[in-house]
Amino acid sequence: MSQKRRSQSWIELKQAGNEFFKTGQYGEAASIYSQGIKEVEKSGKKNPEDLSILYSNRAASYLKDGNCWECVKDCTVSLDLVPFGIKPLLRRAAAYEALERYRLAYVDYKTALQIDCNIPAAHDGTSRMTKCLTEVDGLSWREKLPLIPTVPMAVKEKLSLATSQQTTQHNGTRENEKSVPGEDSIKKALTLKEEGNAQVKKGEYKKAIEKYTQSLKHNSSEITTYTNRALCYLSVKMYKEAVQDCGEALRLDSANIKALYRRAQAHKELKDYTACIEDLNSLLKVEPKNTAGQNLLLEVQNKK
């Protein structure tokens, strides 16, 4: 019974901290979360997931209060307990951004996008950091970045599924529930995408298109599947289909370099030079040193 009371105690403290946070009482919320952390540690059952949530929540309180360094510390602890948590990644990125540690912020935003490519805050943050770093470090800013960790596929699948389920529960609609791929669907989609990639290496573009199409039926939110299929459509001169696939990819990631470049290629073949130039200008805003984009822009401008 005593263990049950202790367990309930930290949960109640977390809930109380959440209530203070909702009402803008961030100092009180941080204090309550600190009590919750102590309760979990005293219980002898140091569940890393429970502690990770509490540290991440306290980090959010510190961030709202402008205490950015404490936010960074708590997010780091949270991520040490449960690696690649989306919320602590985004909160630490926001804190780094406020502290003008733009390279570190960029790394966290990009890491979050590896886990879930449909996070507006991560896309917006990446775009802001790209602009800031270009201004600070010039065109070679990417060379000065810290190493961006590669999210293991197993972790990506697990966390992507958990995030999708949380979104569904939050929205609470049957329509959203249907649109969220299950774990089996995500795995099947990845397998089919890899089979498509193998066909591309053999130059079997039509067979690759079939595999990518099957993959998207299982998971329609995988950006690289759209850009890969667009490449195949370009190879078999199905330019309108390439434009459509790139458009879907850009709906998920408005700064996706491959989607912008491949759509520009398709627009060029369709002789829609204005749209082609628009895509290339967007590409070069994100990656000013992109040689392929620069060369294609010069070629199209000469045609126009």
Side-chain angles (χ1 to χ4, degrees), residues 39-300:
E39 285 298 318
V40 175
E41 291 176 339
K42 281 196 303 182
S43 72
K45 291 186 176 181
K46 297 184 181 180
N47 187 318
E49 292 184 359
D50 297 340
L51 280 171
S52 179
I53 291 168
L54 287 165
Y55 275 106
S56 179
N57 286 5
R58 190 171 70 174
S61 301
Y62 287 143
L63 182 63
K64 287 288 189 179
D65 244 356
N67 197 342
C68 294
W69 279 120
E70 289 303 317
C71 174
V72 167
K73 289 178 186 177
D74 270 8
C75 287
T76 302
V77 173
S78 178
L79 290 164
D80 286 341
L81 289 162
V82 178
F84 304 111
I86 289 177
K87 287 184 178 180
L89 275 170
L90 292 176
R91 287 164 184 168
R92 190 170 68 178
Y96 278 139
E97 183 176 351
L99 292 164
E100 298 184 4
R101 299 299 181 97
Y102 300 133
R103 294 172 195 163
L104 294 171
Y106 181 89
V107 168
D108 279 348
Y109 284 131
K110 288 295 282 187
T111 303
L113 285 174
Q114 286 186 63
I115 301 163
D116 186 345
C117 62
N118 300 317
I119 306 173
H123 284 300
D124 294 344
T126 301
S127 296
R128 288 194 304 274
M129 295 308 94
T130 298
K131 183 178 179 181
C132 290
L133 289 168
T134 302
E135 291 173 356
V136 173
D137 295 329
L139 298 180
S140 61
W141 65 272
R142 290 180 185 276
E143 298 171 10
K144 300 178 183 180
L145 287 174
L147 182 67
I148 299 175
T150 300
V151 180
M153 188 56 68
V155 173
K156 181 178 176 180
E157 289 174 3
K158 180 181 176 182
L159 293 178
S160 179
L161 178 62
T163 303
S164 297
Q165 288 174 338
Q166 287 172 6
T167 302
T168 302
Q169 291 167 5
H170 177 72
N171 290 337
T173 65
R174 194 176 296 273
E175 182 181 354
N176 285 331
E177 194 170 321
K178 288 181 181 178
S179 69
V180 177
E183 186 174 4
D184 290 342
S185 291
I186 291 172
K187 287 182 178 178
K188 183 65 175 175
L190 288 168
T191 299
L192 287 163
K193 185 178 79 168
E194 288 169 3
E195 290 175 5
N197 294 347
Q199 293 296 335
V200 170
K201 290 177 182 177
K202 296 176 185 177
E204 298 284 350
Y205 298 112
K206 289 185 177 179
K207 289 181 180 180
I209 288 170
E210 291 176 6
K211 292 294 183 182
Y212 292 139
T213 301
Q214 292 170 26
S215 176
L216 287 167
K217 287 178 181 177
H218 291 280
N219 183 8
S220 61
S221 62
E222 183 63 39
I223 293 174
T224 54
T225 309
Y226 285 111
T227 56
N228 288 1
R229 191 170 67 173
L231 174 64
C232 295
Y233 280 138
L234 285 169
S235 299
V236 297
K237 300 183 179 181
M238 296 174 68
Y239 302 122
K240 290 182 180 179
E241 288 80 359
V243 168
Q244 290 174 351
D245 268 7
C246 291
E248 285 297 316
L250 290 165
R251 183 178 61 80
L252 296 167
D253 177 6
S254 61
N256 188 280
I257 296 296
K258 287 183 179 179
L260 287 167
Y261 183 71
R262 288 171 186 169
R263 191 167 70 175
Q265 288 179 301
H267 282 314
K268 176 199 158 200
E269 296 300 331
L270 292 167
K271 295 183 170 51
D272 188 347
Y273 300 128
T274 300
C276 177
I277 290 170
E278 285 177 3
D279 279 343
L280 292 170
N281 284 333
S282 296
L283 184 158
L284 293 170
K285 282 181 182 177
V286 178
E287 198 170 276
K289 211 173 179 181
N290 189 296
T291 306
Q294 291 172 344
N295 291 340
L296 185 57
L297 182 60
L298 285 172
E299 180 186 341
V300 175

Side-chain angles (χ1 to χ4, degrees), residues 9-29:
S9 180
W10 82 261
I11 291 173
E12 290 173 355
L13 285 166
K14 183 187 76 169
Q15 292 172 341
N18 292 349
E19 290 302 316
F20 278 116
F21 187 90
K22 288 176 185 176
T23 58
Q25 300 177 73
Y26 305 120
E28 288 291 337

